Amino acid sequence: MLDLFETTWEDVWAGHESAESYGAVYTRAEIVDLVLDLTDYRPELGRLATRRVLEPSCGDGAFVLRIIQRLIASERMLPGGIDWMDPALDDAIRAIDIHAPSIDALRRNVAERLSTEGCPSARARSLSANWLHRTDFLLHEWTDRFDVIVGNPPYVRIEDLPRAVLQRYRSLYATLGDRADLYVAFIERGLQLLAPCGVLGFITANRYAKNLYGRGLRRLIADRYHVRYFLNLEHTQPFEVDVSAYPAITVLDRQRGCATRAGELHTLAPDEIAAARNSALVPVPTAGPLQEFDSWYPDGGPWVTTCTAEHRHLHTLRTRLVPLEASAPGTRVGIGVATGADRVFVLTSQHPAIEAHRQIPLAVAADLSNREICWSGHVLLNPFTPTGDGSLVDLAEYPGLHAYLLGHRERLGKRHVARSRPHQWYRTIDRIWPELQHRPKLLIPDIQPAQSAIVAHDEGRFYPHHNLYWITSEGWDLQVLKALLRCSIVIEQVRAFSVQMRGGSVRWQAQTLRKLNVPPLSSLRDALLWRLKDVAGSDDQREIDEAAARAFYA
């Protein structure tokens, strides 16, 4: 019997208990059944009471109740039927949640379900109390290992956690870096608790598969574990309520060296779920939603695609070409300015009372097209000196700017950047680099449709807003590079490297742009450079693709 009432986790959470469950998003029954099938928690495979199952964030019981249903079905298949007093049942299930009301309600529900199935009332209450416990899964000192670990970990941004709790989590879980979501630590801890032949099946956000914050977890999996299945559900809604969670089912075990089956579902229609289940469970891979990978991203890099043909193509590009920033001298990628208070620092037009040279023409996403930049008149207030060393201007020398900013001092002072440096209360989060405005550059909106690309050429008039990415280069004619970035070969790479948004849009983030593989400038002949420059602003995608293909496949 586990001693689940350690003082450690309660002390850490003291004073921070929530009346509502942290990050609770409840899973639809058909998805729970799919996860249980993929982790081999099926009565037809043998007595389930001999396979210890753990659900680390049970909430309202979406997983637990289906687990119990399968456990009972397995017991009924035994000669003589189910023996409710069998001690094997005591350790068959462990379900955890930190939220006391959820545990209390679920204990009552489970006891009632067991009684309905014929379990004596006292035994039903005993099993319910034994199976369900309140504790912090991440802080509890586990001594057991489990054959099956399944569930839907909480969706919580780590910055939303109480500071003491976050500090303890970070001290325990190496994968909880950057701005990782809490589910990343749940996966790490779950893997630690797997028995030698155990299997973990979670439905979580898919962001860890590609984002920077997932690199630690991907490396851990690549080094020590095996991806049995990866099923991307980002275009579906597998939860009881509509949330923007971009989910995926990940099934992991310790069977290193085995193949991985991966795929994507575009709907949760019963026939598509059935096809995915069959595609995963058949002994020999056949045509279906899941494809088989002999080696699943062994370097721990981003899981860029679940399509084997696309994977081979991307590998070919990576081996034949070079990363964007290595393609020509002085090629750099960056992001526009984050102010921390756009309503103060970004104006829709010049303010007549503020010194003109403190107002910089600002390019925003709506200004951009592939043909030209149609400036909307937005300006950025610049509190920095022109020296480029990060120092701020003396407001006494700029009475117009001073008066304006004083009128917003309360709002500006509430920002973290101002609280940490009170004497610089009027700075923007990001430094403003004067030379960037005047440098020729390409400007790319962050979020774009998956099948096309807007890449605008700025001759050196504007400063980019924070939802724009910029590219400068000493070597490239930027119109030539613009044509390459607009071609379908690059758009395919962006789709693979980027996390997708609801509706299929993709993000052209700096981390994505830096992964793009393009031809080195030195490999392109003058005639081709002129042709690429000529089609850079074309509306004909086929014309761009034909010219770019000569560069990519020369």
Side-chain angles (χ1 to χ4, degrees):
M1 182 75 176
L2 290 172
D3 178 11
L4 291 177
F5 292 92
E6 301 282 341
T7 58
T8 304
W9 78 268
E10 290 178 316
D11 287 345
V12 173
W13 277 94
H16 301 293
E17 294 84 355
S18 173
E20 298 183 3
S21 185
Y22 265 91
V25 179
Y26 301 129
T27 316
R28 289 165 53 174
E30 60 268 38
I31 300 301
V32 173
D33 283 334
L34 179 58
V35 174
L36 293 175
D37 286 343
L38 296 181
T39 54
D40 291 338
Y41 195 79
R42 293 175 279 152
E44 63 268 25
L45 296 181
R47 189 184 183 194
L48 295 182
T50 65
R51 303 189 67 209
R52 300 195 65 203
V53 60
L54 169 67
E55 210 285 74
S57 181
C58 57
D60 70 342
F63 274 86
V64 170
L65 295 175
R66 307 297 278 193
I67 290 168
I68 292 172
Q69 183 182 57
R70 292 185 179 216
L71 176 64
I72 292 173
S74 172
E75 292 296 292
R76 293 196 189 283
M77 296 169 65
L78 297 175
I82 189 169
D83 176 7
W84 291 106
M85 306 309 294
D86 190 331
L89 295 177
D90 292 333
D91 291 328
I93 299 171
R94 286 291 180 272
I96 305 302
D97 205 283
I98 197 171
H99 189 231
S102 295
I103 287 292
D104 292 341
L106 190 53
R107 278 177 175 162
R108 293 190 294 270
N109 192 354
V110 167
E112 291 173 3
R113 295 286 183 97
L114 292 174
S115 296
T116 300
E117 294 289 343
C119 181
S121 295
R123 179 59 168 163
R125 290 192 298 271
S126 174
L127 285 175
S128 177
N130 201 45
W131 289 346
L132 300 163
H133 297 273
R134 180 183 178 229
T135 187
D136 184 327
F137 171 69
L138 297 177
L139 298 183
H140 181 71
E141 295 183 7
W142 296 93
T143 59
D144 298 305
R145 295 296 178 266
F146 296 88
D147 302 295
V148 179
I149 301 176
V150 291
N152 175 15
Y155 290 69
V156 180
R157 297 179 183 177
I158 56 174
E159 56 264 34
D160 293 337
L161 291 168
R163 177 171 297 188
V165 176
L166 176 57
Q167 288 176 342
R168 180 63 65 88
Y169 286 167
R170 283 196 186 277
S171 72
L172 294 173
Y173 300 105
T175 61
L176 202 62
D178 296 318
R179 300 183 66 186
D181 197 287
L182 189 59
Y183 71 82
V184 170
F186 268 72
I187 296 175
E188 180 180 346
R189 187 57 169 146
L191 290 172
Q192 294 169 356
L193 297 178
L194 281 181
C197 293
V199 57
L200 177 149
F202 280 169
I203 180 167
T204 68
N206 67 358
R207 282 4 197 178
Y208 81 92
K210 293 183 180 181
N211 265 356
L212 286 175
Y213 78 59
R215 58 188 169 185
L217 180 59
R218 294 193 303 269
R219 169 56 66 185
L220 173 68
I221 293 170
D223 288 347
R224 299 177 58 185
Y225 299 95
H226 161 243
V227 180
R228 183 185 292 189
Y229 304 115
F230 180 71
L231 188 57
N232 190 5
L233 307 176
E234 67 186 355
H235 299 302
T236 71
Q237 187 52 257
F239 305 113
E240 294 289 355
V241 295
D242 190 8
V243 293
S244 297
Y246 309 104
I249 294 172
T250 309
V251 180
L252 307 168
D253 58 36
R254 297 182 182 272
Q255 311 309 308
R256 293 180 53 74
C258 296
T260 294
R261 294 189 188 178
E264 183 173 3
L265 292 187
H266 296 281
T267 76
L268 296 181
D271 58 342
E272 191 164 353
I273 292 177
R277 178 185 290 106
N278 294 337
S279 182
L281 299 181
V282 292
V284 179
T286 58
L290 275 66
Q291 300 183 33
E292 186 159 288
F293 288 72
D294 292 332
S295 179
W296 181 258
Y297 303 100
D299 60 353
W303 300 354
V304 296
T305 181
T306 59
C307 172
T308 53
E310 185 178 35
H311 184 267
R312 288 192 295 270
H313 182 222
L314 292 171
H315 177 73
T316 299
L317 294 178
R318 188 168 62 252
T319 55
R320 293 182 60 251
L321 306 173
V322 297
L324 175 59
E325 288 189 320
S327 62
T331 302
R332 292 182 56 215
V333 171
I335 187 172
V337 61
T339 69
D342 276 2
R343 291 185 180 180
V344 176
F345 288 106
V346 176
L347 308 180
T348 57
S349 62
Q350 278 210 336
H351 194 300
I354 298 175
E355 291 77 12
H357 62 286
R358 292 288 99 201
Q359 304 182 65
I360 304 174
L362 183 72
V364 299
D367 299 342
L368 307 188
S369 74
N370 286 314
R371 288 194 173 274
E372 59 183 346
I373 298 178
C374 295
W375 184 44
S376 54
H378 284 81
V379 295
L380 170 69
L381 298 185
N382 179 16
F384 293 90
T385 65
T387 59
D389 61 359
S391 59
L392 297 176
V393 297
D394 182 349
L395 290 179
E397 298 178 6
Y398 299 94
L401 179 65
H402 190 190
Y404 174 85
L405 292 176
L406 277 179
H408 297 279
R409 181 161 187 170
E410 183 177 358
R411 173 194 286 267
L412 295 178
K414 292 178 180 178
R415 300 171 303 151
H416 174 74
V417 68
R419 292 196 304 269
S420 61
R421 288 178 280 190
H423 62 290
Q424 295 188 348
W425 59 271
Y426 56 96
R427 68 166 288 144
T428 54
I429 290 178
D430 293 336
R431 185 188 302 183
I432 296 172
W433 302 89
E435 66 273 17
L436 179 60
Q437 176 194 350
H438 302 292
R439 288 201 67 178
K441 51 193 170 290
L442 299 178
L443 298 178
I444 303 174
D446 181 355
I447 300 175
Q448 302 203 44
Q451 305 301 325
S452 61
I454 292 176
V455 181
H457 180 231
D458 171 27
E459 297 177 350
R461 295 176 55 203
F462 304 106
Y463 207 92
H465 195 216
H466 63 76
N467 59 358
L468 300 181
Y469 294 91
W470 53 262
I471 302 172
T472 58
S473 181
E474 297 172 7
W476 282 106
D477 180 320
L478 290 178
Q479 292 285 9
V480 174
L481 184 57
K482 172 179 174 175
L484 294 177
L485 293 177
R486 290 188 61 205
C487 80
S488 295
I489 300 169
V490 165
I491 294 171
E492 175 193 9
Q493 293 183 66
V494 172
R495 285 200 302 269
F497 298 142
S498 167
V499 295
Q500 291 201 17
M501 312 299 290
R502 196 55 71 81
S505 297
V506 295
R507 301 196 66 183
W508 290 64
Q509 295 172 294
Q511 59 178 293
T512 299
L513 290 167
R514 292 188 179 105
K515 294 186 186 105
L516 295 178
N517 292 291
V518 298
L521 173 61
S522 59
S523 70
L524 305 181
R525 297 177 180 272
D526 287 345
L528 182 53
L529 294 174
W530 281 106
R531 177 57 181 159
L532 288 165
K533 184 173 183 177
D534 188 51
V535 302
S538 174
D539 294 326
D540 187 341
Q541 188 66 44
R542 184 174 60 180
E543 185 177 44
I544 296 171
D545 289 345
E546 287 176 351
R550 292 165 55 194
F552 276 86
Y553 300 117

